[in-house]
Amino acid sequence: MLALGFALAAAISAATPSSLHPDTFAIVPRRMSVDMVIDPAAAQWTGSTRGWLTVRRPLRVLVLRFGGPELSRVEMNQLPGAVPLQFSTPVHDSLVVVADRGLVPGPAGLNVACIGAWSSGGRGWVRRSPGTVALVRGGTCVIPEWPEGAPLPTWSLDVHVPAGCTVRANLPRTEITRQLGWRTWSFASKRPMPADSVWVEVRRPAAPRRAARR
């Protein structure tokens, strides 16, 4: 446990933009699946990202670009099962993950869940008007981001919104499903894309105008 604490401290101290590349290219994304619960009228949003990855060489410390929302869960798995880990979001918009038993070359999974407030800085989930919110630069929001030059993953996206809301994205829409007072808008693309190019907008229906009194 003490050794793991030292490893985490060392990873935090080394978490600079220039240090992202050697750690990140040892593990690359193949497919990313994003699940968002968005109510433009609510004070917060929630979301999760599941990544299917390939580990290229033995690895214990992983550093990714990530910033903004509060992390509620970070998990990794690789046969034979879950990988015990510690995680931190120390500096430079980074997510540092230290795997207890380390990762070995082969397939792996990464699950990240978070809770966020609407951004006022033009990044993440931004209120564009009282009834419209948009995901601006997706990699700074709910999606851990690999740096420029890394292999790009394919994407699927599920956005859960109150009935009556509409959702637009720059991925092809696959279906809309209904459950109670909510709708799930699903999007997917087989074309690899960088995280910060994934774009989403949620719009509430306009309130009906009252007829003018005579």
Side-chain angles (χ1 to χ4, degrees):
M1 182 63 70
L2 184 60
L4 185 59
F6 283 130
L8 182 58
I12 291 173
S13 65
T16 64
S18 61
S19 72
L20 288 167
H21 292 268
D23 287 336
T24 303
F25 288 133
I27 181 170
V28 296
R30 293 182 291 114
R31 183 163 62 95
M32 305 295 284
S33 176
V34 182
D35 189 279
M36 306 291 300
V37 180
I38 302 293
D39 181 352
Q44 293 181 316
W45 53 265
T46 61
S48 62
T49 299
R50 174 176 294 181
W52 286 263
L53 317 172
T54 297
V55 180
R56 291 177 165 179
R57 62 173 175 78
L59 183 70
R60 191 179 182 195
V61 177
L62 172 65
V63 183
L64 296 173
R65 297 188 188 277
F66 184 88
E70 174 188 350
L71 285 167
S72 57
R73 185 179 74 252
V74 175
E75 299 173 341
M76 294 198 73
N77 55 74
Q78 189 175 45
L79 292 177
V83 178
L85 57 81
Q86 294 187 36
F87 67 89
S88 176
T89 53
V91 290
H92 304 299
D93 287 340
S94 60
L95 167 62
V96 179
V97 179
V98 180
D100 190 3
R101 62 176 171 85
L103 301 171
V104 298
L110 171 68
N111 299 322
V112 176
C114 57
I115 302 171
W118 308 117
S119 171
S120 59
R123 303 172 67 189
W125 278 102
V126 178
R127 284 192 193 273
R128 288 184 167 168
S129 69
T132 302
V133 297
L135 176 60
V136 181
R137 286 192 55 80
T140 65
C141 179
V142 65
I143 309 166
E145 183 181 358
W146 270 254
E148 184 177 355
L152 300 178
T154 58
W155 294 88
S156 63
L157 176 65
D158 289 324
V159 185
H160 311 279
V161 296
C165 289
T166 57
V167 182
R168 296 192 304 155
N170 61 337
L171 281 69
R173 192 179 76 198
T174 56
E175 63 176 343
I176 302 174
T177 56
R178 303 180 180 183
Q179 186 173 9
L180 299 177
W182 289 74
R183 303 289 184 269
T184 299
W185 295 62
S186 298
F187 305 84
S189 176
K190 295 181 180 179
R191 178 172 62 90
M193 299 172 60
D196 64 2
S197 71
V198 177
W199 181 88
V200 182
E201 181 181 83
V202 179
R203 185 182 296 271
R204 294 176 63 194
R209 295 183 178 181
R210 294 183 178 180
R213 293 184 179 181
R214 295 183 178 180

